[in-house]
Structures are given as C-alpha cells and as structure tokens.
C-alpha cells in the first residue's frame, strides 16, 4: 500500500509535539537551587571611609564588659533550634557548673566543631554555585534547541498542510513525491538527533536538581550544627562568667587603665607598648606568663607539647611561646589575601597577615595568653591584644563582636568573638574591598613586628 508523505510528516509532528509537551513539567519543576538565607548582621558603616591610618587618632570609646545573659538571649532568639534541644543543651552545660576544666574543654571542642562546619558550609556553597553554572549552561542549550526544533516543526507543518498526492493515485507526480520523501528522510533524522539531545539535557537538568537538593540538605544540616554550637558556646561563656562572680578590683582597674591608654595612644605600636608596660608593672598574670619559662630549659618534644596543650585545666601558658612555633591555631577559616611584608594599600608595608572570612565567622584564640585589650581602636574595628609571654604579643583586628574581657586568660582554640558581614575598619586594602569581612593578625616580639609565617600548626596538629 502506498504511503502518503503527508501522513508520515503528521505522525512525526505529533510525536515531537507530544515529546515537547511531556518535557514541560520537568522544565517547570527544575529550579535554580535556592541560596541559603543569610543570617549575617546588617552591613555596618566603614570606619575607614572618611579616615586614613595616619589621621585616625580619635580615642576608642570605653567598653564595659558584655552582659553574658544578654548575649545568650541574643543568640537564642536568632536560632531555629527546638525548645527541647535548647533545654537539653542548657541541662548538659548546667551539669558542668563549677567544673572549669570541663567548661574549657567543652568550649574548645565546640569551637572546633564550628570551624569544621564553616569549612563544610563553604564547600557546599561552592558546589551549589558550580551546579547553578551547569544548570544555566543546560538551560542555554535547551533554549537554543527550542528555536531550532521550532524551525524544523514549522517546515514539517507546511508539508503536512499541503502534502503531495500518493504515488498510487497520481503516478504522474512521482517526481514531486520523491522530492518530498527525500526532504522528509533528511529532516526526520535531524529531528530525532535534536530530540535525543533535548532528552539528554532534560535528564541532566533533573540530575542537577537532585544533586542541588542533596547539597541543600547538607547545607541545612551544617547550619543546624552552627546554630547548636553557637548556642552551646554562648551558654558556656555565660556559665563561665557567672562562675567567676565578682571581678577583682585589680582586674577592674587594669581594664579602666587599658581603656585610658587606648584613648591616648596614636599608633598601634604605642598602644602595645603602653599595655605591655602596664601589664608588667601591675599584673601578676604578666609575671606568671614568664615565670618558670627558662630559655635554657631542655627543648620540649612534640609529644610533650601536645600533652601540655591538651590540659584544659591550665591557667597559664602550656608551653613557652618560643616553643609554640608550628603549633599556633589559625584564628579563623578564610583566604589569605595579604602576607607579611606586602603593601598595605596605604603606601606602607603590612606588619601582619589578613584573612578574608565568611560573614559571621568564628574567631578563636591562636595561642594561650592574657587579654591586654579588647574593644574598638582607631580604624581597626574591634581588636584583641594578647600577652602570650616571653615578650610576645598578638593582635587580632577587624572583629565585629568580642566575648572575652581584659585580664582574662584564654587557652588556644577558645572562642573569642565573631566577624561581621563586611570589612570592619580598614587595616589593609584587598580586592574584596569592604564587601567581605577581613581579619588582620599581627605577631610582635618586644613590640616589633614578626613574620608569623611558620608559626601556624598543620591541620593535623591543630585538630
């Protein structure tokens, strides 16, 4: 029986139309993976916007010790944990009441879990970003395929509306029928190839959606870890401060003097020098930092250093700071955007390193030491200065919130505070500008800058 070319075209046209119609729900269901809602604090004014390092000599405002109960309430109001889980955490920490060693260990462990979760969140966000790029590429190909298939379908539709007569009816038109058959035989394979390509892209789009959903689930789980550990840390800090009770008159006096020194110091070097002199003259903690640390003592082995650092009951540096080279904890997760000795963007040389961090990133103590100063200073944002012993001091600048107090002894790895949602102050210029929070880290020996390269622990050493 003779076959009319028009009927063949009609069948192909119907099949392709059905195939395209069947693909529409997949396209409609495939969405760009949603970005997690930011919990970053509102963007803050850039203190360096109208001030240069040379001009910024205004005094830092006095800062009273933060209220741990208020800080805890703030954290609790910003998280989505169930009340049952919140109560369980509080009960867990209540069991440690009065046990400083357990509290210290719990703080350090919680801070480590936060650092690991932050790393995982950054990795998941990068994978989601890659999936979005892949999806856009596939959608671009599908958009191009739609235009090509539309042109082919238009040609087929024209043939189907005015088909040549069947060979059995009009043999005289055999040439026209042959031409139509040749045209159809040329078009149909192309259409099939296009349909196969579209099907493959639709399948890939579905796979991308499934992968994005899995990554979003992982991201959500890590955000839940971050929320839980942030609440644990805030609760531990509140419990720890409550256990300390009334601050000694000596610490109160030291804090007031530190604030007054910061108000008078015109440069960071002047501030560190004044604080160190004050600590050496009035603080027993400063004397303790160097007591018994005989430079002629035998060199500690790696195992001895690890054991000493694992002692969470310590109330003074576990090891001489000079022996801590290669064991310091990087205070935050981030990308190194400025090395020691490079241009600081203001015509000078950077005396430290700068890390570009995530918004609200946690900051931990890089070493054992006493807090000489904490609070805003010049155009550095919130800063923390440590006396780590043996004439060494460490500075962390650019924080948004600080959770330690002047005179407090902190162990390596303990949480100190958090970064903000953008650069706080302007200690160094970076390609990120003011859009990304940047932590500035400086190490000094006898108040002279020291290159911190080589002082940091490897991931294995730092846990």
């Amino acid at each position: 029986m003779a076959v009319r070319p028009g009927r063949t075209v009609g069948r192909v046209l119907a099949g392709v139309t059905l195939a395209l119609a069947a693909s529409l729900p997949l396209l409609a269901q495939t969405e760009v993976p949603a970005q997690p809602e930011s919990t970053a604090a509102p963007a803050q004014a850039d203190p360096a916007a109208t001030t240069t390092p040379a001009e910024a000599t205004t005094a830092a405002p006095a800062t009273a010790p933060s209220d741990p109960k208020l800080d805890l309430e703030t954290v609790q109001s910003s998280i989505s944990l169930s009340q049952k889980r919140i109560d369980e955490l509080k009960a867990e920490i209540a069991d440690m009441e009065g046990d400083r060693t357990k509290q210290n260990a719990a703080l350090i462990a919680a801070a480590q879990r936060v650092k690991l979760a932050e790393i995982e969140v950054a990795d998941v966000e990068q994978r989601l970003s890659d999936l979005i790029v892949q999806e856009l590429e596939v959608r671009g190909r599908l958009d191009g395929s739609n235009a090509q298939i539309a042109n082919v379908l238009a040609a087929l539709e024209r043939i189907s509306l005015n088909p040549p007569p069947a060979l059995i009816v009009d043999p005289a038109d055999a040439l026209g029928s042959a031409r139509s058959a040749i045209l159809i035989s040329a078009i149909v394979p192309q259409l099939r190839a296009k349909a196969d390509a579209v099907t493959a892209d639709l399948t890939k789009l579905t796979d991308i959606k499934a992968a994005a959903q899995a990554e979003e689930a992982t991201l959500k789980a890590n955000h839940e870890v971050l929320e839980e550990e942030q609440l644990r840390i805030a609760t531990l800090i509140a419990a720890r401060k409550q256990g300390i009770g009334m601050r000694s008159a000596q610490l109160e006096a030291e804090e007031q003097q530190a604030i007054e020194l910061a108000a008078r110091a015109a440069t960071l070097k002047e501030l560190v020098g004044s604080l160190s002199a004050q600590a050496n003259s009035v603080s027993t903690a400063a004397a303790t930092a160097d007591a018994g640390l005989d430079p002629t003592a035998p060199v500690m082995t790696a195992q001895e250093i690890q054991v000493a650092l694992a002692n969470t009951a310590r109330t003074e540096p576990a090891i001489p700071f000079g022996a801590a080279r290669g064991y310091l904890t990087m205070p935050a997760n981030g990308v190194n955007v400025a090395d020691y000795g490079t241009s600081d963007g203001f015509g000078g040389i950077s005396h430290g390193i700068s890390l570009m961090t995530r918004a609200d990133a946690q900051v931990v103590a890089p070493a054992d030491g006493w807090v000489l100063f904490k609070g805003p200073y010049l155009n550095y944002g919130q800063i923390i200065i440590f006396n780590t012993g043996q004439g060494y001091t460490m500075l962390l600048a650019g924080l948004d919130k600080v959770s330690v107090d002047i005179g407090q002894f902190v162990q390596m790895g303990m949480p100190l505070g958090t970064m903000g949602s953008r650069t706080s102050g302007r200690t160094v210029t970076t390609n990120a500008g003011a859009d990304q929070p940047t932590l500035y880290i400086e190490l000094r020996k006898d108040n002279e800058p020291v290159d911190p390269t080589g002082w940091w622990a490897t991931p294995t050493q730092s846990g």
Side-chain angles (χ1 to χ4, degrees), residues 30-52:
T30 306
E31 303 172 352
V32 177
Q35 290 291 328
E37 295 183 3
S38 175
T39 58
Q44 55 194 19
D46 186 358
T50 58
T51 312
T52 64

Side-chain angles (χ1 to χ4, degrees), residues 156-180:
L156 288 174
E157 187 173 6
R158 285 194 295 272
I159 295 174
S160 64
L161 291 175
N162 188 22
L167 297 179
I168 193 170
V169 175
D170 190 3
D173 197 24
L175 181 58
S177 298
R179 287 173 177 171
S180 297

Side-chain angles (χ1 to χ4, degrees), residues 93-106:
I93 293 167
D95 290 340
M96 304 179 192
E97 184 176 357
D99 193 331
R100 182 64 57 82
T101 301
K102 284 186 177 180
Q103 290 176 342
N104 291 341

Side-chain angles (χ1 to χ4, degrees), residues 341-385:
T342 59
S343 171
D344 63 2
F346 298 106
I349 298 300
S350 174
H351 291 155
I353 62 175
S354 294
L355 293 180
M356 188 170 65
T357 73
R358 291 175 47 81
D360 301 322
Q362 174 190 247
V363 180
V364 302
D368 290 352
W370 281 268
V371 179
L372 291 178
F373 180 80
K374 65 102 179 192
Y377 178 70
L378 300 185
N379 63 339
Y380 287 85
Q382 293 280 342
I383 72 171
I384 305 175
I385 300 176

